[in-house]
Amino acid sequence: MKNNLYIMSKVPFMGISKKRLTKDIGFIKSKRLTNNNLEKIKKIFIKNKKKYLLYWYLTPVIKFRSYSFRFSSNCILQKGSNIGEKIWYLVKNKKKSFILIGSDIPGINQNIISKAFYNLKNHDMVIGPTEDGGFWLIGFSKKKTISYPFNNIRWSTSNTFKDLIANLDKIKISYKITTKLRDIDNNDDYCKNISS
């Protein structure tokens, strides 16, 4: 059985994608970063087609080209007013287990993805924290019905991951924390990524 992998992203158009980063480094660099990361994920998928089913969880759903790859199939429209609601839409509407990742994670690789799916086998959820206190990966085993885990989360702050973990402990959901990676939200993140 193939693993279901969803990539959550805004399409790399000016005024839509990575607004904070674009303000810091300009649209061209910001778009290149997003395209490079999406292309990297695509290459992981192509090398492992027998292991993964790849879906693009986008806003808005429109056709665009990232180098050699056209995002015109397996695209799903994001629904919800915040990140938690958008993630929960997939939980409520997809019957099979899945992992959802961000599109701004340069350090991602095949081993990290495989590790996350392995961890999901024995837990209700798997979470990948980011260096700035958020999370870049979240997965649901769908082994049992769980309560909504995103109440009162301070999104896009250094408390996001901590708030999520507190909620999971409160509602007694088993989880595994996987590899911590850096997401690229601002100029400082961008410069650290270049220098690493």
Side-chain angles (χ1 to χ4, degrees):
M1 185 175 66
K2 292 185 178 182
N3 296 310
N4 294 289
L5 180 63
Y6 290 80
I7 292 83
M8 189 173 187
S9 179
K10 295 179 179 178
V11 296
F13 288 174
M14 187 176 292
I16 296 177
S17 175
K18 304 299 291 180
K19 293 180 181 178
R20 183 167 37 150
L21 182 62
T22 296
K23 185 177 179 180
D24 286 349
I25 67 174
F27 175 69
I28 299 300
K29 290 182 179 178
S30 177
K31 180 180 179 180
R32 184 181 299 121
L33 175 76
T34 300
N35 278 343
N36 285 344
N37 289 337
L38 293 175
E39 194 74 8
K40 187 173 185 178
I41 295 167
K42 180 206 74 172
K43 289 178 180 178
I44 291 173
F45 167 71
I46 288 175
K47 291 179 181 178
N48 299 274
K49 282 186 176 180
K50 293 182 179 180
K51 291 181 65 175
Y52 302 120
L53 284 174
L54 185 64
Y55 301 90
W56 307 97
Y57 192 37
L58 301 175
T59 182
V61 172
I62 51 179
K63 293 181 180 180
F64 71 99
R65 183 176 291 279
S66 173
Y67 304 137
S68 62
F69 188 72
R70 183 176 295 278
F71 292 73
S72 58
S73 62
N74 289 352
C75 291
I76 301 169
L77 176 65
Q78 292 179 17
K79 293 187 178 181
S81 60
N82 61 42
I83 296 173
E85 290 181 3
K86 291 175 180 180
I87 296 171
W88 196 244
Y89 174 79
L90 291 181
V91 175
K92 298 299 288 183
N93 289 279
K94 302 303 171 184
K95 295 181 179 180
K96 297 181 180 179
S97 63
F98 70 87
I99 281 177
L100 174 71
I101 63 175
S103 63
D104 56 351
I105 316 295
I108 196 168
N109 60 47
Q110 165 61 27
N111 291 335
I112 291 172
I113 294 296
S114 293
K115 178 183 177 182
F117 275 110
Y118 177 80
N119 289 333
L120 192 59
K121 291 179 180 180
N122 299 310
H123 299 84
D124 298 323
M125 291 176 59
V126 61
I127 309 105
T130 57
E131 298 283 352
D132 62 1
F135 58 90
W136 68 274
L137 174 151
I138 188 164
F140 297 82
S141 70
K142 305 301 292 279
K143 293 177 181 177
K144 67 178 184 183
T145 301
I146 65 173
S147 301
Y148 183 75
F150 302 115
N151 288 317
N152 302 315
I153 288 184
R154 291 167 283 183
W155 296 109
S156 302
T157 72
S158 60
N159 297 299
T160 301
F161 178 75
K162 181 172 62 176
D163 290 347
L164 175 59
I165 295 302
N167 284 351
L168 298 183
D169 289 338
K170 184 176 180 180
I171 59 181
K172 301 187 185 323
I173 294 175
S174 69
Y175 60 88
K176 180 70 175 181
I177 298 172
T178 189
T179 311
K180 179 184 285 188
L181 293 176
R182 177 181 290 116
D183 61 345
I184 311 299
D185 290 325
N186 53 44
N187 185 62
D188 185 52
D189 297 330
Y190 182 79
C191 292
K192 286 179 181 177
N193 176 62
I194 291 175
S195 62
S196 62

